[in-house]
């Protein structure tokens, strides 16, 4: 069951899920889709050079190089709970990288991460609100955020924890998932897991992944 896999591992890989169906239909069968302001429910992800992408997205900062570990939309007050990546045109040379945030919770403790304050790198509507690195939950669904590019520590003590967390993330053994075949689908708990992407070689220029965000899962 999808919810059980996500609870156990933080992600679920479903190979060749309904490749004949549109991503909109498949995502709707998995959970409640989140509509992002100013964009479509399903976004197309293709390899791009830095010069071909806006600077406020990872492609605009790293191009086809490796993407560092992060949680999506970490600068939001409440980031989406889950995201889905679905393969349209695969590339066996490119992997989605995953690190389990629970290792970070266990190492630093919930209280330390709760006291760590972050701010978006750029102001939104004239302000840069304070954001906690982790918001705990009594049922274990802690809301963790991490981004070394688009959020920054807000205080000196937060800066020390931020850099220590960064070092620990770099030391973690990661999982790698390859979206190779049409319909290959990866569902990720965005409040728990950090993810990135390996570099895109010239042979993988046609890679086409579609992404959507979900706030909740459909009943298994």
């Amino acid at each position: 069951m999808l919810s059980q896999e996500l609870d156990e591992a933080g992600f679920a890989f479903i190979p060749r899920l309904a490749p004949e169906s549109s991503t909109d239909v498949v995502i709707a069968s998995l959970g409640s889709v989140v509509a992002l302001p100013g964009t479509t429910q399903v976004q197309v992800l293709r390899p791009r050079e830095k010069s071909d992408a806006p600077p406020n997205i990872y492609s605009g900062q790293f191009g086809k190089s490796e993407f560092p570990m992060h949680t999506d939309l970490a600068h939001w007050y409440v980031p989406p709970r889950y995201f889905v990546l679905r393969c349209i045109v695969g590339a066996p040379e490119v992997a989605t990288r995953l690190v389990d945030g629970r290792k970070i919770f266990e190492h630093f403790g919930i209280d330390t991460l709760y006291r760590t304050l972050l701010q978006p790198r750029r102001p939104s509507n004239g302000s840069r609100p304070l954001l906690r690195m982790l918001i705990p939950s009594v049922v274990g669904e802690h809301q963790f955020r991490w981004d070394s590019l688009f959020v920054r520590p807000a205080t000196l003590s937060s800066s020390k924890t931020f850099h220590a967390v960064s070092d620990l993330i770099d030391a973690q053994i990661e999982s790698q998932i390859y979206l190779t075949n049409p319909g290959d689908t990866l569902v990720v708990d965005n409040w728990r897991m950090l993810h990135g992407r390996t570099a895109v070689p010239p042979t993988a220029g046609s890679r086409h992944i579609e992404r959507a965000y979900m706030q909740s899962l459909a009943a298994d």
Side-chain angles (χ1 to χ4, degrees), residues 3-179:
S3 58
Q4 182 176 341
E5 287 190 57
L6 285 163
D7 183 61
E8 292 175 354
F11 66 93
F13 176 64
I14 311 168
R16 299 179 184 269
L17 176 62
E20 72 286 352
S21 298
S22 70
T23 297
D24 302 75
V25 170
V26 172
I27 300 299
S29 72
L30 297 175
S32 175
V33 181
V34 176
L36 301 185
T39 188
T40 57
Q41 287 188 345
V42 175
Q43 302 98 48
V44 174
L45 306 180
R46 298 181 187 270
R48 288 195 275 181
E49 301 291 351
K50 287 195 291 185
S51 58
D52 296 330
N56 62 335
I57 65 173
Y58 266 70
S59 291
Q61 295 292 322
F62 301 101
K64 296 181 181 179
S65 300
E66 181 178 278
F67 284 4
M69 290 295 179
H70 62 286
T71 60
D72 270 8
L73 301 172
H75 61 290
W76 282 25
Y77 186 71
V78 181
R81 177 66 193 276
Y82 306 99
F83 68 85
V84 180
L85 300 179
R86 188 162 185 265
C87 177
I88 306 301
V89 178
E93 313 95 323
V94 182
T96 299
R97 309 163 57 218
L98 296 163
V99 163
D100 194 341
R102 285 186 179 173
K103 302 293 184 182
I104 300 167
F105 309 162
E106 293 167 0
H107 182 88
F108 288 97
I110 300 301
D111 289 345
T112 296
L113 299 180
Y114 175 75
R115 292 193 300 268
T116 302
L117 299 177
L118 308 173
Q119 287 182 304
R121 186 184 68 173
R122 295 179 177 178
S124 176
N125 297 322
S127 66
R128 296 171 62 219
L130 291 176
L131 306 168
R132 295 191 183 275
M133 183 178 285
L134 183 140
I135 298 176
S137 168
V138 293
V139 295
E141 297 175 351
H142 307 313
Q143 178 191 318
F144 178 69
R145 73 180 79 236
W146 175 261
D147 193 308
S148 59
L149 184 62
F150 294 117
V151 297
R152 295 176 175 174
T155 66
L156 180 59
S157 61
S158 296
S159 180
K160 292 178 180 178
T161 303
F162 186 90
H163 291 295
V165 169
S166 179
D167 290 342
L168 182 62
I169 291 170
D170 290 341
Q172 294 301 301
I173 298 174
E174 64 186 51
S175 300
Q176 294 194 342
I177 303 296
Y178 292 84
L179 300 171

